[in-house]
Amino acid sequence: MTNFPNFKDRFSLHYFIYSLPLALIAGLCFWVNTFYVYKAELAFDITVEKPGHIELFFDLGDGQNYQSIQTVKLEANKRTRVIQEIPWEGLKILRIDPNSNTGWCRIENLTLANHTDIPIQTLKLEQFRAYLGISNIEYMDGSISLQITDGDPMMWVDYDFTQISKPNRDLFSATRYTIVLILTTILVSFIGHTLFGKVFSQIGLGVVAWLIFCPGIYTPDSIWQIEQAMENQYSDWHPPTMSILIHYWLKIGLPVAYLSLFQAILLFLGLYYLYQAFWSFTGAETKTRTQQIIKDYGILVLTIILTSPISPLAPYSVTLWKDVWFTVSLLWMTVISLYAYQVKTKGAYKHTKLLSTVLVLVSLVSVEFRHNAIVVLPVIAIILTILLKKERWISITQVVLLALLFTTPFITGRIISHLYPVEKSNPKMSMMSLELVGLLVLRPELMKTFPNTAEHLDNQYAENFQWAGYRYLKWPEQYGNPIVDENYLTQDNFPSIQEEYYKALRLYPFSLLRIKLTNYLQLLNPMQTIEWVTIGISSNNFGLSFNDRFQSTRKHLNDIYDFIILNNVTRWISGVHLIYLIITAAIIATLIYKSIIDKSLQPLYLAAIFTTTLAYYLSYIIATVWTAFRYMYPSTLIVQHLLISMLIIWLTHTFHRANGNNTPNG
């Protein structure tokens, strides 16, 4: 007869805690009732022959009851941009009605986008019906020309919205979420001790972050990469791989909002598995129930600390940035490295080779998101050498993986340029131009040596110049006074900039090194933190805007973030990279010393893992053109995570000793 565990054995109060994030999700959805904002944005350009006006109507009824929502005055032969927010739920007819006095009328670039769920294909103008009295209709390059010839006809452009699919409100009903609340609380309470339960809870925290900032955070860089993805036309100013992946994400029919959710889930899962991998790597034991509880609670405490306003992780995790994608890659590289060493120590060489291969692939992917991440590859090579070293000096697998590691980054760029339309925008120009101008600020006597740069300088260039301030150079109208004229930072002038930069590199290498270090120190400056948290969605043609239901929540969070980063005490906790860089260097030195004293390979291996974060910190010495906090945050996040994990492990050891037991191994 099978003995089933009784309720008391299966249900544990402390595992009930794991259901709280899921309960929070259910409660939020109960309150919101839907993920969607039932609004849409209509945008178009209009040009008319004679002065007049255009009126916009909509119908939420049976298609016969129009209501006016906006009247726009128009000047003759002047293109006017019209943007109007309109109701989405229940919308039947939308009408654009120029008055008859305007003569001919041309409507262009007409789009309609839902605010929350980015359309895979924006509604094109040919989907609209044009009703005219006496007129001609001409389609030209995606726009429609409405030409009134004579008379006083009624003229409008409208679209029947009954055929547009809308989110089903019933799917997100309060009743269903009440059921979800009850079931998930009970379910996770029973399975909290299982891997599934813990992972499910961790995912819940990521979903909560996404719900608050739904549909995600999108900066101008994010919007530009989405535009490239939708048009399937790319630029190499940012690594095009990210835009290409977004293109296929949209092509299979998934909204970009779900992409920000997906990256947040991957990031939070990475935090969970890094905690588990580091705990196992240290060999820390949990001999008592209390120790096990501390370990189980530890990951929740760690994640809650990192997602609290004391850290920028919550909004960062749902921001569509290449930095976030690299953070996810670096997290999983660290996880795989820790697990691979444990597999090696158990003698499972085949599994070690498999994990080493996965590590190489993830490392190569990370370089495609952040080109300066290439400095991490030599450290990964050291990790591979330790993992794959057997009795003989080198193995065939090691040779193949190392060759793949160091050759692939130089091949993928050419392959991508061959397969996809990638415009050459010469991103090196930002570094070269900034450092050339900096060189002439330091040494104005070199004007004749670098005539191209010199002739484009403003008279007040030295006073206006900012170290690590390429934006001041590129966009003076937004950031300050002009430093160079508008013809300097052009693609036509790039060959001259490149020629002068290589000349400076040959003749004045130490001056350039000084400039690089000066720019780098601006990024590390502990007295300032630039763009610590970015909460917003840049203007776009996709209808992306925040869910109104959480507007007050985001405002309060933004106020808290501002307080923390402006406070002279709290900003040092998670707003200063220099602290964590120094801690990382100190840990590496300590581990190397311990490895030498103990003649043990494990501390050396852990030192190599920490060196990946240090290498990324130092990669910005090569080129620092701006001082945004997010640049170094991938390294800082991992170091913060490992420091908190060390503290939790130390607490379990301390508790064990306080109860008169022997200290666990590790």
Side-chain angles (χ1 to χ4, degrees):
M1 181 177 179
T2 304
N3 294 320
F4 293 97
N6 59 36
F7 179 83
K8 185 177 181 180
D9 293 335
R10 294 295 294 169
F11 184 86
S12 178
L13 180 61
H14 84 270
Y15 287 124
F16 183 83
I17 301 298
Y18 282 107
S19 66
L20 293 182
L22 297 175
L24 179 58
I25 295 172
L28 286 173
C29 295
F30 176 89
W31 176 44
V32 176
N33 198 22
T34 176
F35 292 156
Y36 292 87
V37 180
Y38 286 89
K39 295 179 182 177
E41 184 178 82
L42 174 73
F44 60 90
D45 296 321
I46 183 168
T47 310
V48 294
E49 181 183 16
K50 302 174 184 178
H53 68 270
I54 185 172
E55 198 165 3
L56 305 181
F57 297 89
F58 70 90
D59 184 359
L60 299 178
D62 57 4
Q64 303 297 323
N65 184 21
Y66 290 99
Q67 301 178 48
S68 175
I69 53 177
Q70 185 183 17
T71 300
V72 180
K73 292 183 178 180
L74 304 173
E75 298 180 24
N77 295 304
K78 180 180 179 181
R79 177 180 292 185
T80 302
R81 183 68 172 172
V82 179
I83 300 177
Q84 175 62 44
E85 190 177 79
I86 59 176
W88 175 265
E89 186 179 21
L91 182 63
K92 296 296 189 299
I93 296 292
L94 173 68
R95 175 178 292 178
I96 303 171
D97 190 359
N99 72 323
S100 58
N101 298 327
T102 59
W104 57 259
C105 172
R106 182 179 179 84
I107 298 175
E108 305 171 277
N109 305 320
L110 193 152
T111 59
L112 181 74
N114 182 270
H115 266 214
T116 302
D117 192 8
I118 178 174
I120 305 309
Q121 292 181 341
T122 304
L123 294 179
K124 299 299 182 182
L125 198 57
E126 47 266 23
Q127 294 177 274
F128 285 73
R129 295 198 305 270
Y131 292 92
L132 307 173
I134 304 173
S135 63
N136 299 318
I137 304 178
E138 299 177 2
Y139 288 92
M140 302 175 62
D141 300 326
S143 63
I144 185 171
S145 177
L146 307 180
Q147 181 74 44
I148 299 179
T149 56
D150 58 359
D152 186 17
M154 180 180 293
M155 180 189 71
W156 65 82
V157 179
D158 71 358
Y159 183 76
D160 184 357
F161 282 83
T162 58
Q163 302 303 316
I164 301 179
S165 60
K166 299 182 178 67
N168 186 354
R169 183 179 290 271
D170 292 337
L171 293 176
F172 308 107
S173 66
T175 303
R176 295 193 181 197
Y177 268 109
T178 303
I179 297 174
V180 170
L181 171 62
I182 297 172
L183 291 181
T184 54
T185 302
I186 297 174
L187 174 66
V188 180
S189 298
F190 274 89
I191 66 174
H193 63 291
T194 67
L195 175 64
F196 177 73
K198 296 172 184 177
V199 170
F200 201 30
S201 176
Q202 192 72 7
I203 291 174
L205 290 172
V207 175
V208 169
W210 179 77
L211 278 174
I212 293 173
F213 300 103
C214 183
I217 295 172
Y218 304 89
T219 65
D221 285 346
S222 311
I223 298 301
W224 187 30
Q225 291 187 287
I226 295 172
E227 289 174 349
Q228 293 178 49
M230 296 187 71
E231 296 171 3
N232 200 24
Q233 298 286 333
Y234 307 99
S235 167
D236 65 352
W237 189 263
H238 296 291
T241 303
M242 181 174 176
S243 296
I244 292 171
L245 292 176
I246 295 174
H247 169 75
Y248 286 109
W249 178 275
L250 297 176
K251 193 172 183 179
I252 62 177
L254 295 173
V256 74
Y258 295 164
L259 182 57
S260 66
L261 171 62
F262 180 66
Q263 72 179 30
I265 290 175
L266 285 180
L267 194 152
F268 278 88
L269 282 178
L271 295 176
Y272 170 80
Y273 280 104
L274 179 57
Y275 177 81
Q276 298 295 338
F278 187 70
W279 191 285
S280 300
F281 181 87
T282 59
E285 299 178 1
T286 52
K287 294 182 178 180
T288 66
R289 178 175 176 80
T290 304
Q291 284 182 304
Q292 185 64 44
I293 291 174
I294 293 175
K295 178 184 176 182
D296 291 339
Y297 279 167
I299 181 58
L300 283 177
V301 172
L302 182 152
T303 310
I304 290 171
I305 290 174
L306 291 178
T307 53
S308 70
I310 204 70
S311 163
L313 180 62
Y316 179 85
S317 66
V318 296
T319 304
L320 196 66
W321 269 338
K322 59 186 178 184
D323 305 89
V324 179
W325 287 27
F326 174 75
T327 302
V328 173
S329 302
L330 189 60
L331 265 173
W332 285 99
M333 286 160 57
T334 309
V335 171
I336 296 167
S337 300
L338 290 170
Y339 277 127
Y341 185 83
Q342 297 170 63
V343 173
K344 172 186 168 62
T345 56
K346 295 177 181 179
Y349 188 67
K350 289 184 178 180
H351 291 87
T352 305
K353 289 196 295 184
L354 177 61
L355 287 175
S356 298
T357 303
V358 175
L359 175 61
V360 168
L361 294 177
V362 176
S363 302
L364 293 175
V365 169
S366 71
V367 175
E368 292 302 313
F369 301 145
R370 260 293 185 186
H371 286 165
N372 58 309
I374 197 169
V375 300
V376 174
L377 298 187
V379 185
I380 299 298
I382 295 173
I383 292 174
L384 288 175
T385 301
I386 296 174
L387 288 175
L388 299 175
K389 185 178 181 301
K390 299 177 73 176
E391 293 182 0
R392 53 184 174 177
W393 173 246
I394 195 167
S395 66
I396 296 176
T397 303
Q398 186 177 349
V399 171
V400 173
L401 290 180
L402 289 176
L404 188 67
L405 191 68
F406 288 112
T407 59
T408 304
F410 302 99
I411 299 174
T412 52
R414 295 184 178 182
I415 295 175
I416 290 174
S417 298
H418 179 73
L419 295 177
Y420 300 94
V422 179
E423 178 187 1
K424 299 295 182 182
S425 55
N426 300 310
K428 294 183 294 184
M429 180 164 58
S430 59
M431 174 197 71
M432 292 179 174
S433 59
L434 182 66
E435 293 182 7
L436 280 173
V437 176
L439 181 61
L440 296 184
V441 170
L442 283 179
R443 304 183 62 178
E445 70 274 10
L446 298 179
M447 289 282 190
K448 293 182 180 180
T449 309
F450 305 102
N452 176 65
T453 300
E455 72 180 19
H456 290 286
L457 292 176
D458 185 82
N459 292 333
Q460 303 296 319
Y461 80 95
E463 292 80 0
N464 299 334
F465 182 77
Q466 299 285 336
W467 296 106
Y470 177 72
R471 294 185 186 179
Y472 293 92
L473 213 66
K474 179 68 173 177
W475 299 286
E477 65 279 1
Q478 297 180 33
Y479 293 94
N481 297 318
I483 301 170
V484 295
D485 62 37
E486 60 184 10
N487 297 320
Y488 183 60
L489 297 172
T490 61
Q491 294 300 318
D492 291 338
N493 194 42
F494 175 71
S496 299
I497 293 175
Q498 183 172 245
E499 181 182 353
E500 288 194 343
Y501 185 82
Y502 289 148
K503 182 179 180 180
L505 200 58
R506 292 193 309 269
L507 299 179
Y508 308 102
F510 293 106
S511 295
L512 278 186
L513 179 60
R514 177 185 172 186
I515 291 169
K516 288 181 180 293
L517 290 175
T518 303
N519 289 333
Y520 181 69
L521 291 176
Q522 291 298 312
L523 181 57
L524 283 179
N525 187 353
M527 305 313 297
Q528 67 174 15
T529 304
I530 306 297
E531 299 174 7
W532 187 59
V533 168
T534 300
I535 299 178
I537 298 178
S538 296
S539 59
N540 60 88
N541 295 323
F542 315 126
L544 285 171
S545 66
F546 279 135
N547 190 319
D548 291 341
R549 303 281 183 153
F550 292 100
Q551 183 176 355
S552 60
T553 303
R554 287 190 298 272
K555 183 181 183 301
H556 292 319
L557 282 174
N558 200 42
D559 292 341
I560 295 172
Y561 284 126
D562 287 343
F563 170 80
I564 288 172
I565 202 58
L566 295 175
N567 185 278
N568 291 328
V569 177
T570 54
R571 66 179 298 273
W572 291 86
I573 298 174
S574 191
V576 179
H577 290 305
L578 182 61
I579 294 175
Y580 296 97
L581 190 154
I582 294 173
I583 290 174
T584 303
I587 290 174
I588 292 171
T590 303
L591 289 170
I592 293 175
Y593 176 77
K594 181 176 176 58
S595 178
I596 295 172
I597 296 300
D598 297 346
K599 297 181 180 179
S600 172
L601 186 62
Q602 186 178 18
L604 182 64
Y605 186 83
L606 187 57
I609 291 176
F610 272 98
T611 304
T612 59
T613 61
L614 181 63
Y616 191 69
Y617 273 131
L618 299 179
S619 69
Y620 285 94
I621 293 178
I622 301 172
T624 300
V625 297
W626 190 243
T627 55
F629 181 84
R630 70 177 187 270
Y631 293 162
M632 290 183 173
Y633 188 59
S635 290
T636 295
L637 176 62
I638 290 179
V639 174
Q640 288 175 332
H641 184 292
L642 294 177
L643 287 175
I644 298 173
S645 299
M646 290 178 184
L647 178 61
I648 294 171
I649 293 173
W650 176 80
L651 286 174
T652 60
H653 291 191
T654 302
F655 179 84
H656 200 65
R657 288 195 299 267
N659 285 273
N661 299 312
N662 295 326
T663 304
N665 297 328

